[in-house]
Amino acid sequence: MPNPSANPKKPVLFVLTSHGTKGDSGQPTGFYLGEVTHPLSVLEAAGIAVEFASIKGGEPPIDGLDLEDDTNRRYWNDEAFRAAIRTTARLDGVDPDRYAAIFFAGGHGAMWDLPQSSAVDRVTRSVFEAGGAVAAVCHGPAALVNVRLSDGRYLVAGRNVSAFTDSEERAVGLDRTVPFLLASTLVERGATHHPSADWTSKVVVDGRLITGQNPQSATGVGEALRDLLSA
């Protein structure tokens, strides 16, 4: 099977949610900024290019706008980054052959639109079956719950994963708001979920599948993806 590092000029595709509210609560959400900027910082430092897409294209809604975080602040004040976020590609128009890997950032919005997207299913399957890497952090693994490979199996079936835990969802009071509990659903799809204590970093690498538990895991997911693509 092809090696994702065979063409080092291929970029990584960062995919962001376009969903901006937490269910019927009316509370705003979107992609979580630190789950983009922290892995992005790691990849860019390694000379690995990144491009952005979202479910609807254009400018996706944002959550976690913590500008006391140095990495967030640096990117938020970078006009090139802001322009890239304002003009994301629409995922259903993306050619998966262009990418060495696909990465799904979290933020609660991911729980609503990523699992229901046929484009997520198509692009993720294509990248993975071509020998590329698939990575996700926090609620980003919601993108993977319905992805099937060409033989009909769920991509996560029989694989080790990490994702936002049921315990963490209860801790933020959204376990009855989200459409499903992410960790439990991944287990229902045949994955083995490896939780760490709430709000501590946990990154699980299973071959070309890299997943992280929460915002604290975002840098570690970026490092694991960098190491895989640079191997």
Side-chain angles (χ1 to χ4, degrees), residues 12-16 32 34-40 43 50-53 101-106 114 124 127 133-138 140-141 143 210-212 217-219 221-222 225:
V12 175
L13 182 65
F14 274 39
V15 179
L16 313 178
Y32 202 80
E35 293 169 21
V36 171
T37 62
H38 283 254
L40 177 62
L43 295 177
V50 169
E51 296 179 3
F52 293 94
I102 188 169
F103 166 78
F104 295 98
L114 298 190
T124 305
V127 169
V134 173
V137 69
C138 197
I210 302 167
T211 47
S217 311
T219 295
V221 169
L225 182 56

PDB file of all heavy atoms in Angstrom, residues 12-16 32 34-40 43 50-53 101-106 114 124 127 133-138 140-141 143 210-212 217-219 221-222 225:
ATOM      1  N   VAL A  12      -1.664  18.319   4.129  1.00  0.00           N
ATOM      2  CA  VAL A  12      -2.669  17.739   5.007  1.00  0.00           C
ATOM      3  C   VAL A  12      -3.935  18.573   4.887  1.00  0.00           C
ATOM      4  O   VAL A  12      -3.876  19.807   4.856  1.00  0.00           O
ATOM      5  CB  VAL A  12      -2.180  17.728   6.463  1.00  0.00           C
ATOM      6  CG1 VAL A  12      -3.280  17.235   7.408  1.00  0.00           C
ATOM      7  CG2 VAL A  12      -0.925  16.862   6.601  1.00  0.00           C
ATOM      8  N   LEU A  13      -5.076  17.922   4.811  1.00  0.00           N
ATOM      9  CA  LEU A  13      -6.354  18.619   4.741  1.00  0.00           C
ATOM     10  C   LEU A  13      -6.960  18.702   6.140  1.00  0.00           C
ATOM     11  O   LEU A  13      -7.279  17.682   6.748  1.00  0.00           O
ATOM     12  CB  LEU A  13      -7.315  17.892   3.798  1.00  0.00           C
ATOM     13  CG  LEU A  13      -8.686  18.559   3.618  1.00  0.00           C
ATOM     14  CD1 LEU A  13      -8.539  19.917   2.931  1.00  0.00           C
ATOM     15  CD2 LEU A  13      -9.627  17.660   2.828  1.00  0.00           C
ATOM     16  N   PHE A  14      -7.098  19.909   6.657  1.00  0.00           N
ATOM     17  CA  PHE A  14      -7.798  20.150   7.921  1.00  0.00           C
ATOM     18  C   PHE A  14      -9.271  20.385   7.607  1.00  0.00           C
ATOM     19  O   PHE A  14      -9.615  21.277   6.816  1.00  0.00           O
ATOM     20  CB  PHE A  14      -7.243  21.391   8.623  1.00  0.00           C
ATOM     21  CG  PHE A  14      -6.042  21.143   9.498  1.00  0.00           C
ATOM     22  CD1 PHE A  14      -5.039  20.262   9.125  1.00  0.00           C
ATOM     23  CD2 PHE A  14      -5.907  21.815  10.702  1.00  0.00           C
ATOM     24  CE1 PHE A  14      -3.932  20.052   9.925  1.00  0.00           C
ATOM     25  CE2 PHE A  14      -4.802  21.619  11.523  1.00  0.00           C
ATOM     26  CZ  PHE A  14      -3.813  20.730  11.144  1.00  0.00           C
ATOM     27  N   VAL A  15     -10.141  19.609   8.242  1.00  0.00           N
ATOM     28  CA  VAL A  15     -11.582  19.729   8.004  1.00  0.00           C
ATOM     29  C   VAL A  15     -12.251  20.272   9.261  1.00  0.00           C
ATOM     30  O   VAL A  15     -12.054  19.753  10.366  1.00  0.00           O
ATOM     31  CB  VAL A  15     -12.201  18.379   7.612  1.00  0.00           C
ATOM     32  CG1 VAL A  15     -13.706  18.526   7.401  1.00  0.00           C
ATOM     33  CG2 VAL A  15     -11.533  17.838   6.344  1.00  0.00           C
ATOM     34  N   LEU A  16     -13.085  21.316   9.081  1.00  0.00           N
ATOM     35  CA  LEU A  16     -13.750  21.997  10.180  1.00  0.00           C
ATOM     36  C   LEU A  16     -15.261  21.868  10.049  1.00  0.00           C
ATOM     37  O   LEU A  16     -15.800  21.796   8.948  1.00  0.00           O
ATOM     38  CB  LEU A  16     -13.369  23.484  10.180  1.00  0.00           C
ATOM     39  CG  LEU A  16     -11.878  23.799  10.020  1.00  0.00           C
ATOM     40  CD1 LEU A  16     -11.660  25.306   9.998  1.00  0.00           C
ATOM     41  CD2 LEU A  16     -11.070  23.153  11.127  1.00  0.00           C
ATOM     42  N   TYR A  32     -13.155  24.269  17.381  1.00  0.00           N
ATOM     43  CA  TYR A  32     -12.427  24.758  18.553  1.00  0.00           C
ATOM     44  C   TYR A  32     -11.055  25.240  18.098  1.00  0.00           C
ATOM     45  O   TYR A  32     -10.254  24.467  17.570  1.00  0.00           O
ATOM     46  CB  TYR A  32     -12.304  23.634  19.583  1.00  0.00           C
ATOM     47  CG  TYR A  32     -12.057  24.116  20.987  1.00  0.00           C
ATOM     48  CD1 TYR A  32     -13.110  24.588  21.770  1.00  0.00           C
ATOM     49  CD2 TYR A  32     -10.784  24.102  21.525  1.00  0.00           C
ATOM     50  CE1 TYR A  32     -12.884  25.024  23.071  1.00  0.00           C
ATOM     51  CE2 TYR A  32     -10.554  24.545  22.823  1.00  0.00           C
ATOM     52  CZ  TYR A  32     -11.614  25.001  23.584  1.00  0.00           C
ATOM     53  OH  TYR A  32     -11.396  25.438  24.869  1.00  0.00           O
ATOM     54  N   GLY A  34      -8.120  26.122  19.345  1.00  0.00           N
ATOM     55  CA  GLY A  34      -6.866  25.498  19.753  1.00  0.00           C
ATOM     56  C   GLY A  34      -6.633  24.127  19.161  1.00  0.00           C
ATOM     57  O   GLY A  34      -5.487  23.667  19.060  1.00  0.00           O
ATOM     58  N   GLU A  35      -7.720  23.467  18.740  1.00  0.00           N
ATOM     59  CA  GLU A  35      -7.581  22.150  18.119  1.00  0.00           C
ATOM     60  C   GLU A  35      -7.198  22.264  16.654  1.00  0.00           C
ATOM     61  O   GLU A  35      -6.923  21.253  15.998  1.00  0.00           O
ATOM     62  CB  GLU A  35      -8.871  21.360  18.298  1.00  0.00           C
ATOM     63  CG  GLU A  35      -9.120  21.020  19.763  1.00  0.00           C
ATOM     64  CD  GLU A  35     -10.499  20.464  20.014  1.00  0.00           C
ATOM     65  OE1 GLU A  35     -11.142  19.970  19.055  1.00  0.00           O
ATOM     66  OE2 GLU A  35     -10.965  20.530  21.170  1.00  0.00           O
ATOM     67  N   VAL A  36      -7.169  23.480  16.151  1.00  0.00           N
ATOM     68  CA  VAL A  36      -6.620  23.765  14.823  1.00  0.00           C
ATOM     69  C   VAL A  36      -5.211  24.343  14.947  1.00  0.00           C
ATOM     70  O   VAL A  36      -4.268  23.866  14.326  1.00  0.00           O
ATOM     71  CB  VAL A  36      -7.534  24.738  14.048  1.00  0.00           C
ATOM     72  CG1 VAL A  36      -6.853  25.212  12.764  1.00  0.00           C
ATOM     73  CG2 VAL A  36      -8.856  24.069  13.724  1.00  0.00           C
ATOM     74  N   THR A  37      -5.058  25.362  15.780  1.00  0.00           N
ATOM     75  CA  THR A  37      -3.781  26.080  15.814  1.00  0.00           C
ATOM     76  C   THR A  37      -2.639  25.241  16.375  1.00  0.00           C
ATOM     77  O   THR A  37      -1.503  25.338  15.892  1.00  0.00           O
ATOM     78  CB  THR A  37      -3.903  27.371  16.634  1.00  0.00           C
ATOM     79  OG1 THR A  37      -4.251  27.056  17.991  1.00  0.00           O
ATOM     80  CG2 THR A  37      -4.926  28.306  16.031  1.00  0.00           C
ATOM     81  N   HIS A  38      -2.911  24.414  17.363  1.00  0.00           N
ATOM     82  CA  HIS A  38      -1.817  23.661  17.986  1.00  0.00           C
ATOM     83  C   HIS A  38      -1.250  22.582  17.056  1.00  0.00           C
ATOM     84  O   HIS A  38      -0.033  22.522  16.862  1.00  0.00           O
ATOM     85  CB  HIS A  38      -2.260  23.107  19.332  1.00  0.00           C
ATOM     86  CG  HIS A  38      -2.274  24.152  20.410  1.00  0.00           C
ATOM     87  ND1 HIS A  38      -1.331  24.221  21.404  1.00  0.00           N
ATOM     88  CD2 HIS A  38      -3.110  25.200  20.620  1.00  0.00           C
ATOM     89  CE1 HIS A  38      -1.577  25.257  22.192  1.00  0.00           C
ATOM     90  NE2 HIS A  38      -2.660  25.869  21.735  1.00  0.00           N
ATOM     91  N   PRO A  39      -2.079  21.731  16.444  1.00  0.00           N
ATOM     92  CA  PRO A  39      -1.498  20.808  15.460  1.00  0.00           C
ATOM     93  C   PRO A  39      -0.941  21.524  14.236  1.00  0.00           C
ATOM     94  O   PRO A  39       0.066  21.097  13.665  1.00  0.00           O
ATOM     95  CB  PRO A  39      -2.653  19.864  15.094  1.00  0.00           C
ATOM     96  CG  PRO A  39      -3.879  20.496  15.617  1.00  0.00           C
ATOM     97  CD  PRO A  39      -3.491  21.408  16.720  1.00  0.00           C
ATOM     98  N   LEU A  40      -1.583  22.612  13.827  1.00  0.00           N
ATOM     99  CA  LEU A  40      -1.081  23.382  12.689  1.00  0.00           C
ATOM    100  C   LEU A  40       0.321  23.892  12.959  1.00  0.00           C
ATOM    101  O   LEU A  40       1.199  23.832  12.087  1.00  0.00           O
ATOM    102  CB  LEU A  40      -2.026  24.549  12.404  1.00  0.00           C
ATOM    103  CG  LEU A  40      -1.622  25.512  11.290  1.00  0.00           C
ATOM    104  CD1 LEU A  40      -1.543  24.803   9.953  1.00  0.00           C
ATOM    105  CD2 LEU A  40      -2.610  26.674  11.232  1.00  0.00           C
ATOM    106  N   LEU A  43       2.833  21.039  12.526  1.00  0.00           N
ATOM    107  CA  LEU A  43       3.043  20.637  11.131  1.00  0.00           C
ATOM    108  C   LEU A  43       3.804  21.707  10.354  1.00  0.00           C
ATOM    109  O   LEU A  43       4.723  21.390   9.590  1.00  0.00           O
ATOM    110  CB  LEU A  43       1.700  20.341  10.462  1.00  0.00           C
ATOM    111  CG  LEU A  43       0.920  19.147  11.037  1.00  0.00           C
ATOM    112  CD1 LEU A  43      -0.422  19.001  10.337  1.00  0.00           C
ATOM    113  CD2 LEU A  43       1.718  17.859  10.942  1.00  0.00           C
ATOM    114  N   VAL A  50      -0.545  22.704   4.949  1.00  0.00           N
ATOM    115  CA  VAL A  50      -1.911  22.424   5.390  1.00  0.00           C
ATOM    116  C   VAL A  50      -2.881  23.253   4.549  1.00  0.00           C
ATOM    117  O   VAL A  50      -2.617  24.413   4.237  1.00  0.00           O
ATOM    118  CB  VAL A  50      -2.076  22.767   6.882  1.00  0.00           C
ATOM    119  CG1 VAL A  50      -3.541  22.750   7.293  1.00  0.00           C
ATOM    120  CG2 VAL A  50      -1.267  21.800   7.744  1.00  0.00           C
ATOM    121  N   GLU A  51      -4.008  22.649   4.185  1.00  0.00           N
ATOM    122  CA  GLU A  51      -5.102  23.359   3.536  1.00  0.00           C
ATOM    123  C   GLU A  51      -6.375  23.123   4.347  1.00  0.00           C
ATOM    124  O   GLU A  51      -6.448  22.166   5.122  1.00  0.00           O
ATOM    125  CB  GLU A  51      -5.282  22.874   2.094  1.00  0.00           C
ATOM    126  CG  GLU A  51      -4.080  23.178   1.213  1.00  0.00           C
ATOM    127  CD  GLU A  51      -4.237  22.678  -0.210  1.00  0.00           C
ATOM    128  OE1 GLU A  51      -5.326  22.127  -0.539  1.00  0.00           O
ATOM    129  OE2 GLU A  51      -3.282  22.820  -0.997  1.00  0.00           O
ATOM    130  N   PHE A  52      -7.364  24.000   4.159  1.00  0.00           N
ATOM    131  CA  PHE A  52      -8.566  23.959   4.987  1.00  0.00           C
ATOM    132  C   PHE A  52      -9.818  23.712   4.155  1.00  0.00           C
ATOM    133  O   PHE A  52      -9.979  24.265   3.070  1.00  0.00           O
ATOM    134  CB  PHE A  52      -8.736  25.283   5.737  1.00  0.00           C
ATOM    135  CG  PHE A  52      -7.666  25.532   6.760  1.00  0.00           C
ATOM    136  CD1 PHE A  52      -6.541  26.278   6.436  1.00  0.00           C
ATOM    137  CD2 PHE A  52      -7.768  25.007   8.039  1.00  0.00           C
ATOM    138  CE1 PHE A  52      -5.545  26.503   7.369  1.00  0.00           C
ATOM    139  CE2 PHE A  52      -6.783  25.226   8.984  1.00  0.00           C
ATOM    140  CZ  PHE A  52      -5.667  25.981   8.653  1.00  0.00           C
ATOM    141  N   ALA A  53     -10.691  22.895   4.725  1.00  0.00           N
ATOM    142  CA  ALA A  53     -12.016  22.676   4.151  1.00  0.00           C
ATOM    143  C   ALA A  53     -13.023  22.645   5.287  1.00  0.00           C
ATOM    144  O   ALA A  53     -12.670  22.449   6.456  1.00  0.00           O
ATOM    145  CB  ALA A  53     -12.067  21.377   3.358  1.00  0.00           C
ATOM    146  N   ALA A 101      -2.896  13.329   4.131  1.00  0.00           N
ATOM    147  CA  ALA A 101      -3.628  13.009   5.353  1.00  0.00           C
ATOM    148  C   ALA A 101      -4.838  13.922   5.458  1.00  0.00           C
ATOM    149  O   ALA A 101      -4.887  14.993   4.853  1.00  0.00           O
ATOM    150  CB  ALA A 101      -2.730  13.193   6.578  1.00  0.00           C
ATOM    151  N   ILE A 102      -5.787  13.487   6.271  1.00  0.00           N
ATOM    152  CA  ILE A 102      -6.947  14.305   6.599  1.00  0.00           C
ATOM    153  C   ILE A 102      -7.040  14.385   8.113  1.00  0.00           C
ATOM    154  O   ILE A 102      -6.807  13.392   8.816  1.00  0.00           O
ATOM    155  CB  ILE A 102      -8.235  13.724   5.971  1.00  0.00           C
ATOM    156  CG1 ILE A 102      -9.411  14.681   6.150  1.00  0.00           C
ATOM    157  CG2 ILE A 102      -8.554  12.332   6.504  1.00  0.00           C
ATOM    158  CD1 ILE A 102     -10.641  14.302   5.330  1.00  0.00           C
ATOM    159  N   PHE A 103      -7.338  15.588   8.606  1.00  0.00           N
ATOM    160  CA  PHE A 103      -7.413  15.825  10.039  1.00  0.00           C
ATOM    161  C   PHE A 103      -8.728  16.523  10.360  1.00  0.00           C
ATOM    162  O   PHE A 103      -9.089  17.508   9.709  1.00  0.00           O
ATOM    163  CB  PHE A 103      -6.240  16.707  10.491  1.00  0.00           C
ATOM    164  CG  PHE A 103      -6.409  17.286  11.875  1.00  0.00           C
ATOM    165  CD1 PHE A 103      -6.182  16.498  12.995  1.00  0.00           C
ATOM    166  CD2 PHE A 103      -6.805  18.601  12.051  1.00  0.00           C
ATOM    167  CE1 PHE A 103      -6.366  17.021  14.274  1.00  0.00           C
ATOM    168  CE2 PHE A 103      -6.983  19.129  13.321  1.00  0.00           C
ATOM    169  CZ  PHE A 103      -6.756  18.339  14.435  1.00  0.00           C
ATOM    170  N   PHE A 104      -9.428  16.015  11.372  1.00  0.00           N
ATOM    171  CA  PHE A 104     -10.694  16.585  11.803  1.00  0.00           C
ATOM    172  C   PHE A 104     -10.514  17.251  13.160  1.00  0.00           C
ATOM    173  O   PHE A 104     -10.234  16.584  14.161  1.00  0.00           O
ATOM    174  CB  PHE A 104     -11.774  15.506  11.899  1.00  0.00           C
ATOM    175  CG  PHE A 104     -12.126  14.898  10.567  1.00  0.00           C
ATOM    176  CD1 PHE A 104     -11.552  13.694  10.173  1.00  0.00           C
ATOM    177  CD2 PHE A 104     -13.008  15.525   9.705  1.00  0.00           C
ATOM    178  CE1 PHE A 104     -11.865  13.126   8.950  1.00  0.00           C
ATOM    179  CE2 PHE A 104     -13.327  14.972   8.475  1.00  0.00           C
ATOM    180  CZ  PHE A 104     -12.752  13.763   8.091  1.00  0.00           C
ATOM    181  N   ALA A 105     -10.677  18.573  13.178  1.00  0.00           N
ATOM    182  CA  ALA A 105     -10.668  19.307  14.437  1.00  0.00           C
ATOM    183  C   ALA A 105     -12.003  19.119  15.147  1.00  0.00           C
ATOM    184  O   ALA A 105     -13.024  18.839  14.520  1.00  0.00           O
ATOM    185  CB  ALA A 105     -10.421  20.791  14.176  1.00  0.00           C
ATOM    186  N   GLY A 106     -11.967  19.309  16.465  1.00  0.00           N
ATOM    187  CA  GLY A 106     -13.185  19.199  17.238  1.00  0.00           C
ATOM    188  C   GLY A 106     -13.883  20.537  17.411  1.00  0.00           C
ATOM    189  O   GLY A 106     -13.786  21.437  16.583  1.00  0.00           O
ATOM    190  N   LEU A 114     -20.473  16.564  10.930  1.00  0.00           N
ATOM    191  CA  LEU A 114     -19.459  15.650  10.384  1.00  0.00           C
ATOM    192  C   LEU A 114     -19.970  14.219  10.225  1.00  0.00           C
ATOM    193  O   LEU A 114     -19.718  13.597   9.185  1.00  0.00           O
ATOM    194  CB  LEU A 114     -18.198  15.679  11.250  1.00  0.00           C
ATOM    195  CG  LEU A 114     -17.449  17.014  11.352  1.00  0.00           C
ATOM    196  CD1 LEU A 114     -16.099  16.810  12.050  1.00  0.00           C
ATOM    197  CD2 LEU A 114     -17.246  17.673   9.997  1.00  0.00           C
ATOM    198  N   THR A 124     -12.576  10.700   3.427  1.00  0.00           N
ATOM    199  CA  THR A 124     -11.808   9.961   4.432  1.00  0.00           C
ATOM    200  C   THR A 124     -11.453   8.572   3.931  1.00  0.00           C
ATOM    201  O   THR A 124     -10.311   8.115   4.057  1.00  0.00           O
ATOM    202  CB  THR A 124     -12.598   9.865   5.744  1.00  0.00           C
ATOM    203  OG1 THR A 124     -12.968  11.175   6.175  1.00  0.00           O
ATOM    204  CG2 THR A 124     -11.764   9.195   6.830  1.00  0.00           C
ATOM    205  N   VAL A 127      -8.703   8.851   1.183  1.00  0.00           N
ATOM    206  CA  VAL A 127      -7.369   9.140   1.724  1.00  0.00           C
ATOM    207  C   VAL A 127      -6.797   7.906   2.398  1.00  0.00           C
ATOM    208  O   VAL A 127      -5.635   7.525   2.170  1.00  0.00           O
ATOM    209  CB  VAL A 127      -7.429  10.332   2.702  1.00  0.00           C
ATOM    210  CG1 VAL A 127      -6.115  10.467   3.474  1.00  0.00           C
ATOM    211  CG2 VAL A 127      -7.742  11.628   1.967  1.00  0.00           C
ATOM    212  N   ALA A 133      -2.971   9.096   5.966  1.00  0.00           N
ATOM    213  CA  ALA A 133      -3.287   9.067   7.390  1.00  0.00           C
ATOM    214  C   ALA A 133      -4.613   9.765   7.648  1.00  0.00           C
ATOM    215  O   ALA A 133      -5.009  10.685   6.936  1.00  0.00           O
ATOM    216  CB  ALA A 133      -2.176   9.748   8.176  1.00  0.00           C
ATOM    217  N   VAL A 134      -5.275   9.316   8.717  1.00  0.00           N
ATOM    218  CA  VAL A 134      -6.506   9.934   9.198  1.00  0.00           C
ATOM    219  C   VAL A 134      -6.282  10.303  10.652  1.00  0.00           C
ATOM    220  O   VAL A 134      -5.873   9.460  11.460  1.00  0.00           O
ATOM    221  CB  VAL A 134      -7.708   8.981   9.063  1.00  0.00           C
ATOM    222  CG1 VAL A 134      -8.948   9.575   9.729  1.00  0.00           C
ATOM    223  CG2 VAL A 134      -7.986   8.682   7.593  1.00  0.00           C
ATOM    224  N   ALA A 135      -6.537  11.572  10.999  1.00  0.00           N
ATOM    225  CA  ALA A 135      -6.323  12.042  12.360  1.00  0.00           C
ATOM    226  C   ALA A 135      -7.517  12.871  12.809  1.00  0.00           C
ATOM    227  O   ALA A 135      -8.214  13.480  11.996  1.00  0.00           O
ATOM    228  CB  ALA A 135      -5.037  12.869  12.447  1.00  0.00           C
ATOM    229  N   ALA A 136      -7.745  12.894  14.117  1.00  0.00           N
ATOM    230  CA  ALA A 136      -8.861  13.659  14.671  1.00  0.00           C
ATOM    231  C   ALA A 136      -8.610  13.872  16.155  1.00  0.00           C
ATOM    232  O   ALA A 136      -7.941  13.062  16.800  1.00  0.00           O
ATOM    233  CB  ALA A 136     -10.180  12.919  14.464  1.00  0.00           C
ATOM    234  N   VAL A 137      -9.188  14.956  16.687  1.00  0.00           N
ATOM    235  CA  VAL A 137      -9.005  15.247  18.106  1.00  0.00           C
ATOM    236  C   VAL A 137     -10.311  15.706  18.737  1.00  0.00           C
ATOM    237  O   VAL A 137     -11.119  16.372  18.091  1.00  0.00           O
ATOM    238  CB  VAL A 137      -7.887  16.291  18.323  1.00  0.00           C
ATOM    239  CG1 VAL A 137      -8.299  17.674  17.809  1.00  0.00           C
ATOM    240  CG2 VAL A 137      -7.477  16.367  19.784  1.00  0.00           C
ATOM    241  N   CYS A 138     -10.523  15.313  19.984  1.00  0.00           N
ATOM    242  CA  CYS A 138     -11.640  15.739  20.828  1.00  0.00           C
ATOM    243  C   CYS A 138     -12.970  15.284  20.224  1.00  0.00           C
ATOM    244  O   CYS A 138     -13.253  14.097  20.184  1.00  0.00           O
ATOM    245  CB  CYS A 138     -11.559  17.240  21.063  1.00  0.00           C
ATOM    246  SG  CYS A 138     -12.569  17.811  22.447  1.00  0.00           S
ATOM    247  N   GLY A 140     -13.593  15.776  17.075  1.00  0.00           N
ATOM    248  CA  GLY A 140     -13.282  15.480  15.680  1.00  0.00           C
ATOM    249  C   GLY A 140     -13.529  14.035  15.280  1.00  0.00           C
ATOM    250  O   GLY A 140     -13.972  13.772  14.150  1.00  0.00           O
ATOM    251  N   PRO A 141     -13.265  13.049  16.176  1.00  0.00           N
ATOM    252  CA  PRO A 141     -13.561  11.663  15.806  1.00  0.00           C
ATOM    253  C   PRO A 141     -15.031  11.383  15.523  1.00  0.00           C
ATOM    254  O   PRO A 141     -15.362  10.302  15.032  1.00  0.00           O
ATOM    255  CB  PRO A 141     -13.064  10.878  17.025  1.00  0.00           C
ATOM    256  CG  PRO A 141     -11.942  11.709  17.569  1.00  0.00           C
ATOM    257  CD  PRO A 141     -12.441  13.130  17.394  1.00  0.00           C
ATOM    258  N   ALA A 143     -16.420  12.549  13.145  1.00  0.00           N
ATOM    259  CA  ALA A 143     -16.379  12.369  11.695  1.00  0.00           C
ATOM    260  C   ALA A 143     -16.246  10.910  11.309  1.00  0.00           C
ATOM    261  O   ALA A 143     -16.628  10.516  10.197  1.00  0.00           O
ATOM    262  CB  ALA A 143     -15.211  13.165  11.107  1.00  0.00           C
ATOM    263  N   ILE A 210      -4.854   8.229  13.839  1.00  0.00           N
ATOM    264  CA  ILE A 210      -4.358   8.962  15.006  1.00  0.00           C
ATOM    265  C   ILE A 210      -5.519   9.734  15.615  1.00  0.00           C
ATOM    266  O   ILE A 210      -6.171  10.529  14.935  1.00  0.00           O
ATOM    267  CB  ILE A 210      -3.252   9.959  14.595  1.00  0.00           C
ATOM    268  CG1 ILE A 210      -2.093   9.236  13.915  1.00  0.00           C
ATOM    269  CG2 ILE A 210      -2.763  10.761  15.800  1.00  0.00           C
ATOM    270  CD1 ILE A 210      -1.127  10.171  13.199  1.00  0.00           C
ATOM    271  N   THR A 211      -5.775   9.503  16.906  1.00  0.00           N
ATOM    272  CA  THR A 211      -6.883  10.183  17.559  1.00  0.00           C
ATOM    273  C   THR A 211      -6.463  10.687  18.933  1.00  0.00           C
ATOM    274  O   THR A 211      -5.615  10.090  19.593  1.00  0.00           O
ATOM    275  CB  THR A 211      -8.106   9.255  17.705  1.00  0.00           C
ATOM    276  OG1 THR A 211      -7.687   7.978  18.225  1.00  0.00           O
ATOM    277  CG2 THR A 211      -8.801   9.038  16.367  1.00  0.00           C
ATOM    278  N   GLY A 212      -7.075  11.800  19.352  1.00  0.00           N
ATOM    279  CA  GLY A 212      -6.778  12.398  20.646  1.00  0.00           C
ATOM    280  C   GLY A 212      -8.045  12.716  21.404  1.00  0.00           C
ATOM    281  O   GLY A 212      -9.098  12.975  20.812  1.00  0.00           O
ATOM    282  N   SER A 217      -4.999  17.349  24.063  1.00  0.00           N
ATOM    283  CA  SER A 217      -4.331  16.346  23.217  1.00  0.00           C
ATOM    284  C   SER A 217      -3.994  16.874  21.830  1.00  0.00           C
ATOM    285  O   SER A 217      -3.398  16.154  21.024  1.00  0.00           O
ATOM    286  CB  SER A 217      -5.236  15.112  23.079  1.00  0.00           C
ATOM    287  OG  SER A 217      -5.708  14.674  24.334  1.00  0.00           O
ATOM    288  N   ALA A 218      -4.361  18.120  21.534  1.00  0.00           N
ATOM    289  CA  ALA A 218      -4.235  18.622  20.166  1.00  0.00           C
ATOM    290  C   ALA A 218      -2.786  18.669  19.697  1.00  0.00           C
ATOM    291  O   ALA A 218      -2.470  18.278  18.567  1.00  0.00           O
ATOM    292  CB  ALA A 218      -4.881  20.003  20.052  1.00  0.00           C
ATOM    293  N   THR A 219      -1.883  19.152  20.541  1.00  0.00           N
ATOM    294  CA  THR A 219      -0.475  19.196  20.146  1.00  0.00           C
ATOM    295  C   THR A 219       0.052  17.791  19.913  1.00  0.00           C
ATOM    296  O   THR A 219       0.765  17.539  18.936  1.00  0.00           O
ATOM    297  CB  THR A 219       0.365  19.909  21.223  1.00  0.00           C
ATOM    298  OG1 THR A 219      -0.051  21.277  21.299  1.00  0.00           O
ATOM    299  CG2 THR A 219       1.845  19.869  20.880  1.00  0.00           C
ATOM    300  N   VAL A 221      -1.550  15.115  18.979  1.00  0.00           N
ATOM    301  CA  VAL A 221      -2.043  14.576  17.709  1.00  0.00           C
ATOM    302  C   VAL A 221      -1.230  15.152  16.552  1.00  0.00           C
ATOM    303  O   VAL A 221      -0.846  14.437  15.622  1.00  0.00           O
ATOM    304  CB  VAL A 221      -3.541  14.871  17.543  1.00  0.00           C
ATOM    305  CG1 VAL A 221      -4.003  14.559  16.124  1.00  0.00           C
ATOM    306  CG2 VAL A 221      -4.353  14.051  18.538  1.00  0.00           C
ATOM    307  N   GLY A 222      -0.952  16.452  16.611  1.00  0.00           N
ATOM    308  CA  GLY A 222      -0.116  17.060  15.581  1.00  0.00           C
ATOM    309  C   GLY A 222       1.264  16.435  15.523  1.00  0.00           C
ATOM    310  O   GLY A 222       1.802  16.179  14.436  1.00  0.00           O
ATOM    311  N   LEU A 225       1.022  12.956  13.957  1.00  0.00           N
ATOM    312  CA  LEU A 225       0.810  13.052  12.509  1.00  0.00           C
ATOM    313  C   LEU A 225       2.096  13.488  11.812  1.00  0.00           C
ATOM    314  O   LEU A 225       2.460  12.938  10.760  1.00  0.00           O
ATOM    315  CB  LEU A 225      -0.327  14.024  12.235  1.00  0.00           C
ATOM    316  CG  LEU A 225      -0.729  14.221  10.769  1.00  0.00           C
ATOM    317  CD1 LEU A 225      -1.097  12.894  10.111  1.00  0.00           C
ATOM    318  CD2 LEU A 225      -1.892  15.210  10.685  1.00  0.00           C
TER     319      LEU A 225
END
